[in-house]
Amino acid sequence: GNPAMSPSFAKMLNEYAEKLQGHTRVFSCVAPLSSAFIPVQKYRRYYHRNKATLDAIRDNLNGPLFCDVMGEMTLKQDQKLFFGSDHHWTARGAYCGYVSFCKAAGITPVPLEQMTRKVKTGFLGSLYAITRDATVREHADTFEYFKPKVESTAVRFGETGLANPIKSSVFCDGFQGSSCYMTFICGDAPLIKISTGVKNGRKAAVVKNSMGNAFSVYLISHYEEIWVFDFRYSKHIMLDIIAQEEI
């Protein structure tokens, strides 16, 4: 990230908050890059660069609520928050993002100890795929994830419209090896709708890149519906869907 880009990002969020004022709260819940938590002193400058980027988003928000993801991750930096062979955060890293969101939203996060823990071995992700570095291969990641004890179903949509939904899942346990990260919401899609057994009438929309896959699964403990948008692939008009589905 770059602090110089943060005001533009914050301005976009401010515009959404203005349009949705009185109807839907808007949150900024941005993850730092893995460079922020390299456990080697000579790379410490990247921690400060990531923090400056996120702080600059916070300082330019006017309406949206800021989630201090990096603050939560700093408290847990003794844990493995990012993979060694992949650029994504781990389930524990994403959990820090979830906790920061809960604090900003005024809801109580579910402790990891109250979820079902699952483990897969032999995960060699994107960084190994790019480099084919033998030393990375020798240190494959353990892929750990946590399932909230909530019933859920999911469907995926194409890049436009809500017709012809395709059945999906919040957790796709069958992915192994290099595809382990696709365990979270079965990977990327233009739009995913998650329905849960939490019948409280509350709905959320998540705008994400792939970092949001591991984050979104934790929200099933708190919302009846979660709509997950990925605008790298989606051409949906989110404001229309928020109005139509009363999110």
Side-chain angles (χ1 to χ4, degrees):
N2 186 330
M5 291 299 297
S6 297
S8 297
F9 180 78
K11 180 181 178 182
M12 177 189 66
L13 292 183
N14 292 340
E15 290 177 4
Y16 273 102
E18 183 178 2
K19 291 180 182 295
L20 294 166
Q21 188 174 6
H23 299 281
T24 303
R25 294 185 296 175
V26 174
F27 297 83
S28 174
C29 193
V30 180
L33 300 174
S34 59
S35 59
F37 292 100
I38 299 173
V40 179
Q41 186 60 37
K42 70 177 181 178
Y43 297 121
R44 189 65 178 173
R45 66 185 183 276
Y46 293 117
Y47 176 91
H48 299 294
R49 181 180 177 87
N50 275 272
K51 187 175 188 304
T53 300
L54 297 176
D55 286 351
I57 293 174
R58 178 199 62 202
D59 295 343
N60 284 276
L61 293 176
N62 181 22
L65 298 168
F66 180 76
C67 306
D68 186 12
V69 181
M70 194 160 180
E72 290 297 324
M73 296 184 81
T74 300
L75 294 174
K76 301 292 185 180
Q77 61 184 311
D78 59 320
Q79 301 180 13
K80 190 160 187 178
L81 303 178
F82 288 87
F83 295 108
S85 71
D86 189 88
H87 68 283
H88 294 105
W89 53 6
T90 66
R92 291 183 182 271
Y95 183 79
C96 292
Y98 158 70
V99 170
S100 74
F101 167 74
C102 287
K103 289 182 176 181
I107 57 182
T108 302
V110 178
L112 285 177
E113 295 75 21
Q114 294 180 16
M115 304 181 196
T116 302
R117 180 176 178 266
K118 299 280 188 177
V119 175
K120 302 176 184 180
T121 58
F123 176 42
L124 290 169
S126 59
L127 301 181
Y128 175 71
I130 292 168
T131 65
R132 297 291 171 176
D133 190 306
T135 58
V136 176
R137 185 176 181 85
E138 291 167 5
H139 297 86
D141 284 297
T142 297
F143 186 89
E144 176 188 44
Y145 61 108
F146 301 86
K147 291 184 171 185
K149 296 178 181 179
V150 176
E151 293 182 5
S152 63
T153 59
V155 293
R156 302 156 77 91
F157 299 97
E159 65 178 19
T160 60
L162 299 181
N164 304 315
I166 300 170
K167 186 177 179 180
S168 188
S169 181
V170 177
F171 290 96
C172 297
D173 297 305
F175 286 107
Q176 301 289 336
S178 62
S179 299
C180 277
Y181 194 75
M182 292 182 69
T183 300
F184 302 119
I185 63 173
C186 299
D188 298 322
L191 177 62
I192 296 172
K193 177 188 176 183
I194 298 170
S195 302
T196 78
V198 181
K199 301 303 180 185
N200 60 6
R202 300 182 68 186
K203 303 180 183 182
V206 178
V207 178
K208 62 90 179 174
N209 58 19
S210 57
M211 297 289 279
N213 299 6
F215 167 86
S216 297
V217 298
Y218 293 117
L219 299 185
I220 67 174
S221 295
H222 307 282
Y223 294 92
E224 186 169 336
E225 289 181 8
I226 303 142
W227 294 75
V228 185
F229 294 82
D230 192 328
F231 285 120
R232 296 172 299 172
Y233 313 109
S234 171
K235 295 182 181 178
H236 294 89
I237 307 301
M238 185 173 65
L239 288 175
D240 290 350
I241 294 177
I242 287 175
Q244 175 184 324
E245 300 296 332
E246 299 182 334
I247 299 171

